[in-house]
Amino acid sequence: MSLTSHSPVLTTLAAATSGVSRSKAPLLAFDVLEGESWDRLVSGFYGVCQEQLYAYARRRWPGVTLEPVLFSDGGEPVGGALVMLQRLPLGVATVALVKWGPFLARNAGGDNAALMARMADKLVAEYARKRKMMLSIMPPVAAGAVDPVAQMLSERGFKPGVRVKHPMRYVVDVTPDDETRLAAFNQKWRYNLRKAMKAGLEFTVGGPDDIARFMTLYRAMSVRKLFPDYSGIDTLNGLMNMPDGTARPELFFVSQGDRTVAGAAIFTAGNTACYLYGATDDAALDLRAGYLLHWHIIRWLRDNTRAELYDLGGTDGFAGLHQFKSGMVGEAGHISPLAPTMNYASHWPAYAAGTAAYKAREMLTRSRDAALAGRLELQKRLRTLVRIDSKS
């Protein structure tokens, strides 16, 4: 049982409302595309993100059926949603899950909210009513305590379900000029960046052929830090194999001489860039290499993409990551929670089975996390004992 969620906890949406509403506009046209055709098409969409790419999802969630859905109005594409179909044990029901979607093809300004509502209505009509599934939508992060997409779904009868264990997301505004952006970092972040600028480090933009360079750095970091890795790093090869002109990520590196000390894989399509994976070596902390790396990534995104925001992701509860990411956001960006997954079913057996599956997934995840944390702690203690013994 996957339900494509990590370390979920049950939660409620404080702003939830009762009743069901629906746009008075006619339902949008609905077409299911082939995976590779989908990736080529939506790479140019305004709201595209990595979770909505076929190349990412088919490797990240191999146990689900993927339906890339294109919405159009009067023959014009207006948005899309990669729908993941999770058949529950014994075939009792199916959950149709949309992660960080649906998303818009273009920035329609004042019509954005109406288009999002019409896409939600079409998903309800197709998956909840016609196919009798439980429809689950995980909205992307939005500034503020109340997520507008979650609120819109709540007004349509969706109910809040699971939320990721550490929901806060750190989002940087990449549009300011260098002077304004520097001033927006908090004081400690600026201090560390200036130290990094004096350390003789070099920033470079890599290409698809540099995937081996990045993975060497990443594997060495994983062995050194002994952290539980739920990142889906095995998706990166597939993403980097996407052809030119698509939403293939970019690789960035910081080096000291011939030694690579830090690297990052960044999703750069759409209006929001996203930090996918990062890696450092032993020297990176003292050199403040991460500060220089992200400073140049922010500048590169501003000058080379249409991105307005840079989503740094969460912290998994690590205080050091909170300090680093919150300092980078500073006064230009926002720190906001991901909304809970919003669930809708017009047939009660589907809702009951889907809700039970999410609860079972929560219990399994908690048990897994506890067992893994215990094993990693034991490994760290054994490593410490070996070091002490080798010095005696």
Side-chain angles (χ1 to χ4, degrees), residues 22-30 72-73 117-123 125-126 129:
R22 180 181 176 277
S23 170
K24 295 181 180 179
L27 290 176
L28 297 168
F30 173 103
S72 56
D73 190 15
R118 293 179 68 191
M119 288 191 286
D121 288 340
K122 184 61 180 180
L123 290 170
E126 176 67 23
R129 297 201 177 103

Side-chain angles (χ1 to χ4, degrees), residues 72-319:
S72 56
D73 190 15
E76 178 186 1
V78 296
L82 182 65
V83 183
M84 298 185 282
L85 304 181
Q86 174 75 66
R87 187 175 174 84
L88 301 182
L90 304 178
V92 293
T94 298
V95 175
L97 173 62
V98 179
K99 295 193 70 175
W100 294 10
F103 60 99
L104 297 169
R106 60 184 178 83
N107 184 0
D111 293 333
N112 285 350
L115 282 173
M116 289 294 288
R118 293 179 68 191
M119 288 191 286
D121 288 340
K122 184 61 180 180
L123 290 170
V124 167
E126 176 67 23
Y127 292 99
R129 297 201 177 103
K130 180 180 177 181
R131 296 164 68 172
K132 300 181 180 180
M133 300 176 180
M134 184 166 90
L135 175 62
S136 296
I137 296 178
M138 295 178 62
V141 65
V146 178
D147 186 287
V149 174
Q151 183 64 30
M152 176 269 292
L153 294 172
S154 177
E155 292 167 354
R156 279 162 165 72
F158 282 74
K159 297 180 180 180
V162 298
R163 186 199 290 263
V164 295
K165 187 175 182 179
H166 302 285
M168 302 308 294
R169 290 297 181 270
Y170 300 72
V171 182
V172 176
D173 181 355
V174 302
T175 60
D177 59 49
D178 285 357
E179 183 178 356
T180 305
R181 183 61 260 184
L182 279 168
F185 296 137
N186 75 13
Q187 183 177 3
K188 185 67 173 179
W189 215 94
R190 285 195 302 274
Y191 168 81
N192 284 311
L193 175 59
R194 292 190 179 105
K195 294 282 285 187
M197 288 176 170
K198 298 176 182 178
L201 301 175
E202 180 185 6
F203 171 81
T204 56
V205 181
D209 293 340
D210 288 304
I211 181 65
R213 177 186 180 189
F214 178 82
M215 290 306 302
T216 297
L217 189 67
Y218 188 92
R219 292 189 187 103
M221 178 190 70
S222 299
V223 171
R224 183 178 75 251
K225 290 190 174 182
L226 285 176
F227 63 87
D229 191 355
Y230 306 132
S231 67
I233 186 65
D234 57 335
T235 65
L236 188 55
N237 270 316
L239 288 172
M240 295 307 300
N241 283 330
M242 294 177 68
D244 292 342
T246 63
R248 184 177 64 207
E250 299 286 346
L251 296 175
F252 302 93
F253 298 96
V254 167
S255 304
Q256 186 182 49
D258 294 332
R259 181 181 183 181
T260 302
V261 295
I266 310 297
F267 180 85
T268 63
N271 72 307
T272 301
C274 185
Y275 177 84
L276 298 179
Y277 312 108
T280 57
D281 84 345
D282 287 326
L285 183 61
D286 289 340
L287 292 170
R288 278 86 165 177
Y291 293 87
L292 189 76
L293 176 67
H294 284 281
W295 163 242
H296 283 295
I297 288 173
I298 289 170
R299 299 173 72 232
W300 189 92
L301 290 170
R302 180 195 64 205
D303 296 340
N304 295 277
T305 74
R306 59 180 175 175
E308 300 170 355
L309 300 171
Y310 176 27
D311 185 348
L312 305 175
T315 65
D316 288 334
F318 293 108

